[in-house]
Amino acid sequence: MRSTAVFSRPGHFGRVDWEFDDRTIYVTPQGMSTETYPLRQISGFSGDDYTLQFGYEGHQFTLSRLGADGPTLRERLLRRWPLLRAEALCIDGGGEPEYFTTQYAAGEQEMRPCTVLLYDDVMILAMEDCDVTPVYLSSLSHVVRDESAYSVSFVRWDRTGGTFSRMGARTDEFVSKLDETRRCLAAEGASTLSTHLPTLTPSARAALTARWLPGEMIPLAALEAGAPGIRNALVASWMAIGPRAKEAEVLLAGASLEQTFVGYERRPDGEASPLWLLVGREWQWFLENLSEETYATYRFSAGPEMPSLAGMLLKSQRFSREALYLPLEELAGARGDLAMPAAELPFLMQLRERFQGRIIHDDFAVWRETITRIEQGDRSA
């Protein structure tokens, strides 16, 4: 059933008929063809029950004078848009999400209305007039409930954080679900480390499990501080059994523990977790998948932000080589689903800006020579 509203966008203002099928908003201006606005392409919306503003492909459009249909439309959008947008950006998580309506503030910012989708491994935050944002649960150092303020706060390992409030009767449910998902992630991490680092003592593995969860790119210096001998254990076991053991040896040679980072992907359903190595050499960074043969060495020019950006690739579970290095115009056809993340997902956009090229593994001697030339400052390599 069609409804009416006043519609405005660049180049048009007037009364329209509109429909919404939970995936797309259809707008038909009088005497004109129907315009379609898929929710997956909407970068944010705000407003009240009678006027809604949308961000869409670099501009805005507005539906106003929605009348009695406005509250229902807004409620349906709050339910459907975060899910479809997260899927389009490839940042949705595992399992079926739980929905929560809350107020949220990052750091010292003001509280704003927010819809939260809580998956098995990530929270998707959808605030008014903002694009969806992932908060990966493996990045959380702790979660605190303040009974007196009726709020729930989290702090990441990098000391950033945020606060939720006004969940009402669902606060206990939210905290319980969050605790449960974090316990499951810790158990998965413990199982992975037990499988791949059998030579470590149980106490060392326990120390690692508390900090080194799936997706977290951790400097070897920090891991050694908590579990002495971790570097040798990694080289002798997890790295040694992978197809890139020789490459790991070259990348690790002469690298400082502070500029050497390791992380592993979360692979549910019993799949083996790929181990990744990130090594910095002044302005150059090399990212290597040590567990799978089909990946090249990825080269970046970046600063201290690189480990955090690389970790986002691992945590997302949707890492795509093509989305990282192909020009946007080539992300079409079978690769079309990669175009939106490459063009609009902040951490992937930043990685693409820093990307310098791939070093192929066809010939180990050639690969090693290329790495050596780059380390010696040959920027043409």
Side-chain angles (χ1 to χ4, degrees), residues 62-99:
T62 301
L63 288 172
S64 60
R65 301 184 189 177
L66 288 163
D69 294 317
T72 301
L73 174 61
R74 184 171 180 273
E75 184 64 28
R76 290 170 66 190
L77 288 169
L78 287 171
R79 185 80 178 179
R80 292 293 295 165
W81 173 72
L83 177 67
L84 296 176
R85 182 63 174 172
E87 289 177 352
L89 293 177
C90 299
I91 55 173
D92 53 316
E96 289 296 320
E98 293 281 347
Y99 284 76

Side-chain angles (χ1 to χ4, degrees), residues 197 212 220 223 230-240 262 275:
L197 297 172
W212 195 25
L220 272 179
L223 294 181
I230 179 64
R231 183 189 186 281
N232 291 337
L234 280 167
V235 171
S237 55
W238 205 343
M239 293 183 184
V262 287
L275 179 66

Side-chain angles (χ1 to χ4, degrees), residues 101-114 116 123 125 127 135 140 142-147 149-156 160-167 171 174 178:
T101 301
T102 181
Q103 296 273 319
Y104 174 74
E108 300 299 321
Q109 297 177 3
E110 293 184 1
M111 287 284 179
R112 299 172 63 183
C114 179
V116 179
M123 287 188 289
L125 310 185
M127 290 180 289
V135 175
L140 306 188
H142 59 276
V143 175
V144 178
R145 180 176 180 183
D146 187 333
E147 297 279 359
Y150 303 99
S151 66
V152 180
S153 299
F154 67 86
V155 178
R156 298 182 182 88
T160 63
T163 300
F164 302 99
S165 68
R166 299 185 186 179
M167 286 188 179
T171 303
F174 176 72
L178 192 54

Side-chain angles (χ1 to χ4, degrees), residues 180-332:
E180 177 189 352
T181 55
R182 295 179 69 220
R183 282 195 297 269
C184 289
L185 278 178
E188 289 179 16
S191 176
T192 298
L193 296 181
S194 177
T195 298
H196 293 290
L197 297 172
T199 61
L200 281 184
T201 65
S203 60
R205 279 203 302 272
L208 283 179
T209 300
R211 177 63 181 90
W212 195 25
L213 294 177
E216 287 296 293
M217 271 289 184
I218 308 294
L220 272 179
L223 294 181
E224 280 284 347
I230 179 64
R231 183 189 186 281
N232 291 337
L234 280 167
V235 171
S237 55
W238 205 343
M239 293 183 184
I241 64 173
R244 298 292 176 221
K246 292 190 299 182
E247 286 83 354
E249 183 180 351
V250 171
L251 292 172
L252 288 171
S256 70
L257 293 180
E258 292 76 13
Q259 288 292 93
T260 302
F261 295 76
V262 287
Y264 60 98
E265 294 182 54
R266 178 177 185 253
R267 290 289 178 88
D269 302 325
E271 295 182 35
S273 299
L275 179 66
W276 289 77
L277 175 67
L278 176 70
V279 175
R281 299 281 201 276
E282 296 183 357
W283 52 273
Q284 288 287 346
W285 292 87
F286 302 102
L287 179 63
E288 186 78 69
N289 183 330
L290 301 178
S291 302
E292 298 175 299
E293 290 186 290
T294 57
Y295 288 80
T297 305
Y298 298 92
R299 172 187 168 194
F300 300 85
S301 178
E305 74 280 4
M306 187 61 207
S308 176
L309 293 175
M312 294 292 281
L313 285 178
L314 273 62
K315 285 190 279 281
S316 72
Q317 298 185 62
R318 304 284 292 275
F319 174 57
S320 168
R321 290 160 287 182
E322 291 85 357
L324 184 60
Y325 64 79
L326 281 180
L328 288 177
E329 58 270 18
E330 294 185 25
L331 295 176

